[in-house]
Structure formats: structure tokens, C-alpha cells
Amino acid sequence: SAPGIASLFSAALLAEAPASPPVRMEAARNEHEIAAQQQHSASQFQRLADDKPLGGVETEAPQPDEIRAAAEAVEAEAARRRALKCGQKVPPESLTVTRGVSIFVKSKYHGEAGSGHAWSYRVEFTNEGVDTVQMLSRHWIFTDATGFVSEMKGPGARGVTPVLRPGDSWSYDSGTQLETSHGAMHGSFQFETLRAVSGVVPSMFNARVGRLALSPTDSLEQAPCGEPARGDMLPDTSVRATRRVIVGATVERQPERSDEVAGVYRWAYDVQINNARDQAITVVAHRWMTVDADGAVKEMNGLGVGGNYRSKEIELPAGDAFRTKGILATATPVGNAWGAYTVRAQTAGGDEVEIDAEVGVVGLSTDGTPVADLRPEAG
């Protein structure tokens, strides 16, 4: 006779592979440990890539800034400022939980560094929910005692885009400097749900980091509540994802390489590219665009990665990342820069696709403050 429904259900349960225990990944101490974490997350993603709620790796997803803006849009300004504890003293640590993802951050003062002050901070993620998620990008907002704000956007963290199953945890260490002896920091991470059990949507979500002090005594501090660049104002950092090739960029003025009398202003760019796909990619060409305050647009392009890699192509296995640095120039002390990297990507079926991995537009200013979008299409 045909088996009953209960028997079929029991057989299905027995056929499933037993769940492996939760994994705790401590902060990597060297490149070898970073590589091991990259490989672990890549193997986890490869098992889930085809069945994730948003679709396969060729599906275009919302941009990190769009995910963050969507989260802020549903939260009243007064409620957001209360959550950041604006106007209050805050400790050098914070704990927030978003959709089951717990994020704990703690800062530690390391004394004077050059003309400023230095802190390290540790970030610990724990997936206390039932969905499997992946952290894809980050956004930090640092504020010094005068209220000056600096932002940092980028793919993953420490070269890793960690996949967290229920019960998994992952940590990383980083650092920052301010010109004043105290300040504060807060931010957010952008996640994608890879395996949905809870049914909570959307599958891309923003996980906020509560404000914490940057204190010379590692204690309570009252610092201004810094705000990121708003509207069409552009900070000196960006992050964009193109079919899971994630590109983060920052720029910094190079006064020693500039000649203001001759009208030449130079900027160093620092780009990180993360391969968050399920197969290897190769970066084969680059393109940079600049526009100055007078509207003059210039293009710089060539084969290979460019910058310090010149014409060299770089192959990135799934889950891997690399950084490249170079120089841009404008004729005015204010401008914008943006670009793209041409990427050849393999698919699981063995085909090859070409991806124009965008570099998000960044603001160029001699004092590091946000500038307007000067691109011709922005007008």
C-alpha cells in the first residue's frame, strides 16, 4: 500500500543532512585567517546562491545607500535621534539587534597619533534569528568634538562578506583617528537574507549600529550627534554593488602632489573590490571620470586594474577581495569622481559574462566636507 503522509514526512526529515553546529569566527589576526574566513563564507554562499529569495547572482539588487535610505524613511527623525541618544553622554560601546542580528561594538583609546588621536574598535555580529544572512557592506559615521563628520563606506569588512547561519557569529577589528581627543561613532551594515525561514521581508535590510563614545578614558562622553551627507551632497566615500561585485572607494586630497598656482589639484583614491559571487572573477580594465567646479569632464581609462597595478589583471576567487590605489586630478579645489571596473565573471554553468562594476560617485574637496553632485546629468 502507499505510504502515509506521516511516513513520507519522516522519510524527508531523515534524508536531510544533519545541521552543523554554529560557527564562531573570532577577529582575524593575519592574512591567512582572513583567507580562511573568506573561503568559509564563499562555500556557505555557493550552497545557497541559486535559491536565495532575491534571485541568483545575476539579479540586480538595491544599492547599499538605497537600503539605508529606505530604513531611515520609515523612522521618524525624532525617534532616530532618540535612538542615537543625541544630547546625552554615551558609553564606549553599543549593542543593537535588527531582524535577529545582534551587533556589539566597543572602542578603545590608543593615545595620540601624529596630530590627532587614535582608537581601535571591535565589531561582533551574532545571528540570533532563524534566517541565514550575509553582510555585504558597511557605513560608518565618525564625529569629533567640534562636530566635524567623516564617513566611511565599503564592501563587507576586513575583506570578508560573512555568511551567518542561525547561531553563527563573526568579529573584526578596525580603527579610526580624530583630530580631537574625544568624539563618537555610529553607522550601519547592509545585509541580504540568503535562506528565509521567518518570512520577514524585504530580503535586503539595514542593521543599525548604536552611537558609542570615542573617549580618551574609555568612559562616558558627550559628543555632537554627527549626520551623514544628505540630499545631493557627496562625501569622499562610496560603495556600490553590481551583480554582487561590490566596490568601495575613498578619496583624500594630496597637497604635496598638488600645484594650486598652476590649477592642479590631486587626490589619492583607495578602492576595494569584493567578489561576493559564487564563482571567480577577473578585473580586466578600468575607467575613471572626474568633473571639476567649472564643469570640465575628464576620463582616464586603460587595460588592467590601473593605479598601483598599472595594466595588470587581477583574478579573485569567490569570496575574495583586493585593494588598489591611484591618483586623480582636477583643475579646481572642488569636484566629483566616479568610474567602473570591467570584470569577466564565470557562471556556475561554465559560461562567461562581462560586468561593468561601478565605482559610486565621491565628492572631492580640499577640506574633506561633502560637495554637490557636479556631473552633467545631475544638473
Side-chain angles (χ1 to χ4, degrees):
S1 62
I5 294 177
S7 298
L8 289 172
F9 183 68
S10 299
L13 287 178
L14 290 172
E16 290 183 0
S20 56
V23 174
R24 179 177 178 83
M25 289 179 281
E26 300 287 352
R29 295 165 294 181
N30 51 52
E31 293 299 320
H32 175 75
E33 292 183 356
I34 290 174
Q37 292 182 359
Q38 291 171 333
Q39 292 164 11
H40 172 79
S41 287
S43 67
Q44 293 292 321
F45 177 69
Q46 286 165 342
R47 284 195 278 269
L48 299 165
D50 292 336
D51 300 319
K52 62 190 184 74
L54 191 64
V57 295
E58 305 307 333
T59 304
E60 288 290 5
Q63 291 298 327
D65 284 348
E66 294 171 343
I67 298 166
R68 180 169 54 85
E72 292 178 353
V74 300
E75 186 177 35
E77 178 67 13
R80 188 183 65 82
R81 292 185 67 82
R82 281 197 302 272
L84 289 174
K85 300 180 180 177
C86 294
Q88 302 177 37
K89 288 186 176 181
V90 291
E93 60 187 42
S94 74
L95 174 65
T96 53
V97 180
T98 305
R99 285 175 55 167
V101 178
S102 164
I103 304 178
F104 176 74
V105 186
K106 186 171 185 177
S107 66
K108 182 175 179 57
Y109 183 63
H110 288 278
E112 295 185 12
S115 61
H117 300 259
W119 290 262
S120 64
Y121 56 90
R122 171 163 291 189
V123 185
E124 299 178 2
F125 301 85
T126 303
N127 186 357
E128 300 172 349
V130 296
D131 297 337
T132 297
V133 300
Q134 184 174 24
M135 189 271 282
L136 295 174
S137 57
R138 70 189 189 279
H139 177 213
W140 287 112
I141 301 162
F142 302 97
T143 310
D144 70 15
T146 71
F148 181 81
V149 172
S150 58
E151 299 182 53
M152 172 59 69
K153 300 178 182 181
R158 293 284 286 163
V160 184
T161 48
V163 173
L164 300 173
R165 302 166 307 155
D168 285 355
S169 64
W170 181 75
S171 303
Y172 79 94
D173 292 328
S174 191
T176 191
Q177 292 189 19
L178 300 178
E179 291 190 1
T180 59
S181 62
H182 70 277
M185 60 183 282
H186 66 283
S188 61
F189 293 87
Q190 291 70 50
F191 284 80
E192 181 181 355
T193 300
L194 302 182
R195 183 172 183 270
V197 174
S198 67
V200 178
V201 293
S203 59
M204 307 287 291
F205 65 95
N206 189 70
R208 188 173 57 199
V209 176
R211 199 163 69 102
L212 61 144
L214 297 170
S215 164
T217 57
D218 294 330
S219 58
L220 288 166
E221 287 286 349
Q222 184 160 352
C225 221
E227 295 286 352
R230 298 289 185 184
D232 64 349
M233 301 301 289
L234 302 171
D236 57 6
T237 183
S238 71
V239 61
R240 284 189 70 83
T242 308
R243 290 152 67 182
R244 283 189 146 256
V245 178
I246 311 173
V247 182
T250 59
V251 290
E252 185 177 7
R253 181 193 175 206
Q254 298 290 289
E256 69 282 0
R257 297 185 178 186
S258 300
D259 186 344
E260 296 185 14
V261 175
V264 179
Y265 298 84
R266 290 191 170 89
W267 322 83
Y269 68 80
D270 187 340
V271 166
Q272 179 167 311
I273 301 177
N274 279 53
N275 177 13
R277 294 170 62 85
D278 57 345
Q279 303 292 326
I281 65 173
T282 303
V283 182
V284 298
H286 66 278
R287 181 178 74 255
W288 279 97
M289 307 286 292
T290 60
V291 60
D292 64 24
D294 296 327
V297 177
K298 293 184 178 179
E299 180 173 350
M300 178 178 68
N301 61 65
L303 296 177
V305 174
N308 56 311
Y309 283 101
R310 300 181 183 273
S311 60
K312 182 179 179 180
E313 298 182 356
I314 297 291
E315 181 177 351
L316 280 180
D320 208 344
F322 82 101
R323 289 173 66 183
T324 179
K325 300 180 180 183
I327 298 294
L328 302 170
T330 61
T332 62
V334 171
N336 299 163
W338 68 99
Y341 288 89
T342 304
V343 173
R344 286 200 305 261
Q346 300 173 13
T347 68
D351 297 327
E352 189 175 274
V353 296
E354 188 172 286
I355 299 171
D356 210 32
E358 297 178 7
V359 181
V361 60
V362 294
L364 308 174
S365 65
T366 54
D367 60 1
T369 57
V371 301
D373 192 338
L374 302 171
R375 293 173 295 173
E377 61 269 26

